[in-house]
Amino acid sequence: MIEADVGVSSELREDLAELYRDLHQNPELSLQETRSAGVLARRLREAGFDEVTEQVGVTGVVGVLRNGDGPVVMLRADFDALPVEEKTGLPYASTVRAVDRDGRDVPVMHACGHDMHAACLVGAATLLKQARDQWRGTLLVVFQPAEELAIGAQGMIDDGLFERFPKPEIVLGQHVAPLPAGFIGYGTGPVMSAADSLNITLYGQGGHGSRPESAIDPVLMAANVVTRLQGIVAREVPPAESAVVTVGRLQAGTKDNIIPDQAELGVNVRTYTPQTRDLVRAAIERIARAESAASAAVAEPSLDWFSSVPALVSAPEETEATIGAFIKHFGAERIEQMPQVNASEDVGVFGEALQVPTVFWFWGGLETEPTIAAFAEGRMDQLPGNHSPYFAPVIEPTLTTGVEALIAAALTWLAKPQEADSL
């Protein structure tokens, strides 16, 4: 149980709500989160953290709170936004625009709830600092950038996260989701899929549309590749396994009567096991090369795997212990086991890099009673989900639940004072 003096007071609740509204109204794209990083670093310093470091992995923020002998426990939140135009109609809705990495002017919105993640971690860090008499060890607070690009975690590691700061023995994280506010969802083992992205360039020979015999058509080549890729899951992946292959981009040509000399495909893959992941990746490459050969392409296709995130595995034993703490604090009626989520998260990169357990859970951000009714009536598809221009968590009880979940999880793994005294 969380002791009374670690609970969220009405004063702190309103303070965190104001922080959340500020972050929501001022979103920043991945690796552009300079204002947000400054706000979060300042809040850690105001909370009493003596060790606060900015610009870790470009825009990441790390806070260290040492409190005697004991385990090192890492709490992580992401805080980047998306190129989405907000349509919530909230008084604190974003109207921000920015230039993305490709030089395009785009709208910006916290459409995935990372602003709520950050506000909750500020609250948990503040209260854990105030309650140092209840635990011993070291708290590593990590605000991670660029989760939406799936490069932020690795970027912080490459910038010396685990050489410059204490190495955690467990990584704890959470994600707000289209669940009833006040409720927590969890899974054990692989809870979110691996994600791999690939650009394929197919090389033909351009020509006039009236003389196809003098050209090698990369559009036809691309169409055949797209069709064949859909057979991987249907005919090569074992039925007991789960995988998704999506061609989200197909670009070729400039005019209807010109056969272009190349076509480009953007492919995304979701899997849960290393074996299936390797199988699907190899099959995609085999199909692209075989279709190029069958079409007498002028060159081998270009295959560029440009983004890769492993499956997020919530360590079973450590997850069960953490969920046990949630049940004691929130009550079993507010805790639900969830099916696997076919989206991806790069928080698992931290634990995988150190070979330490990761525990990850979801908590609800939609109005409680209407959402419960929608679930009961099978209307879940009508609820705004993550990445929707209409997704914005209700501030309460979402905020308080997120803060208390982080505290309960941290106190599960930090040493109790009597345990530390016996070391």
Side-chain angles (χ1 to χ4, degrees), residues 60-74:
V61 177
V62 177
V64 180
L65 181 58
R66 304 176 194 271
N67 191 30
D69 295 331
V72 180
V73 173
M74 175 173 157

Side-chain angles (χ1 to χ4, degrees), residues 242-263:
S242 178
V244 177
V245 177
T246 299
V247 180
R249 182 175 64 86
L250 198 167
Q251 294 171 312
T254 57
K255 197 172 185 295
D256 61 289
N257 66 343
I258 300 175
I259 296 172
D261 58 8
Q262 66 182 48

